[in-house]
Amino acid sequence: MARAVMGGLGLPQPRETAPEPDRLAIAEAESAEVDDAAPQLRLGLGPRTATAVLIQQQGNRRMWRAPGGVVVATDGPRVVATSGLPTLITATRFDGPDPLDNPVELLGRSAEARRLVDLSGAGRDPASMRFGLAFDCRLRAARTEEAGVVLVEERCRVPGLSSVVNSFWADEASGRVTHAEQWVGTGLPRMVLVFP
């Protein structure tokens, strides 16, 4: 009825937008076709898993692309930007050094960290954008039952959001993070990452 009235008044018809494709489902289905020779990052979000291939690297910053248009940017083991998900991390800015740069140094002590994060909905509608969300975090590390593995737990307070908890597992000998579970946006489960 509203369409007929609007059309009769010469007003433009409202556009019906197609639903956003489930890019992680596409990535999961097409991950078998990924080039095995390239460095790969395993991703999981809820029940979906995919393989992302390294497409760009500049120092510790890396950009990984999975089939279907899912892209994850990492700085060391930390997710700093995403694309192709229902909520996008569009930018992350650190206020000082990241204690996660050396996870083994966190054993027996805690550290504070602050970063600002910008978010957007997948359609990049200005109403869905949030800029400068302040993540005030405390990181603590402990040895796990698995020999040589350290677990770093990061708990963050974010005004306007429920608390955020990230987990990072590191090899104690090298200090390299091998596995992580991280917050990647409002309304999404934590993303599981297995690093090459």
Side-chain angles (χ1 to χ4, degrees):
M1 174 82 170
R3 271 176 190 251
V5 171
M6 291 178 113
L9 295 175
L11 297 174
Q13 297 285 335
R15 280 192 280 165
E16 290 185 21
T17 57
E20 188 69 24
D22 185 348
R23 295 186 187 283
L24 206 55
I26 296 167
E28 182 178 45
E30 295 177 358
S31 283
E33 302 167 15
V34 168
D35 177 14
D36 289 337
Q40 299 176 2
L41 173 69
R42 291 292 301 159
L43 303 173
L45 194 63
R48 304 271 190 215
T49 61
T51 300
V53 174
L54 182 66
I55 57 171
Q56 182 179 351
Q57 180 172 354
Q58 187 174 23
N60 284 336
R61 288 196 170 245
R62 294 182 174 115
M63 191 171 300
W64 308 88
R65 179 182 294 144
V70 175
V71 177
V72 174
T74 58
D75 188 347
R78 191 181 295 281
V79 174
V80 294
T82 61
S83 183
L85 301 175
T87 301
L88 310 178
I89 298 174
T90 56
T92 301
R93 295 168 303 287
F94 293 91
D95 186 9
D98 186 356
L100 198 56
D101 288 343
N102 194 339
V104 178
E105 283 186 2
L106 294 169
L107 283 168
R109 69 178 190 89
S110 65
E112 308 256 332
R114 186 169 208 264
R115 64 187 178 278
L116 301 175
V117 176
D118 298 343
L119 299 177
S120 173
R124 297 190 187 265
D125 175 17
S128 72
M129 296 179 178
R130 297 178 72 181
F131 298 99
L133 289 173
F135 282 63
D136 291 307
C137 307
R138 178 176 297 276
L139 293 88
R140 296 178 193 265
R143 289 181 175 88
T144 64
E145 293 179 5
E146 187 177 341
V149 177
V150 173
L151 169 61
V152 177
E153 191 171 83
E154 177 182 57
R155 294 184 175 276
C156 306
R157 293 181 320 278
V158 186
L161 297 180
S162 56
S163 64
V164 170
V165 177
N166 296 319
S167 303
F168 303 89
W169 288 263
D171 175 70
E172 188 171 359
S174 67
R176 188 176 74 80
V177 173
T178 58
H179 175 94
E181 293 180 8
Q182 299 178 56
W183 180 92
V184 290
T186 53
L188 297 175
R190 292 196 306 171
M191 179 176 278
V192 175
L193 300 101
V194 179
F195 295 95

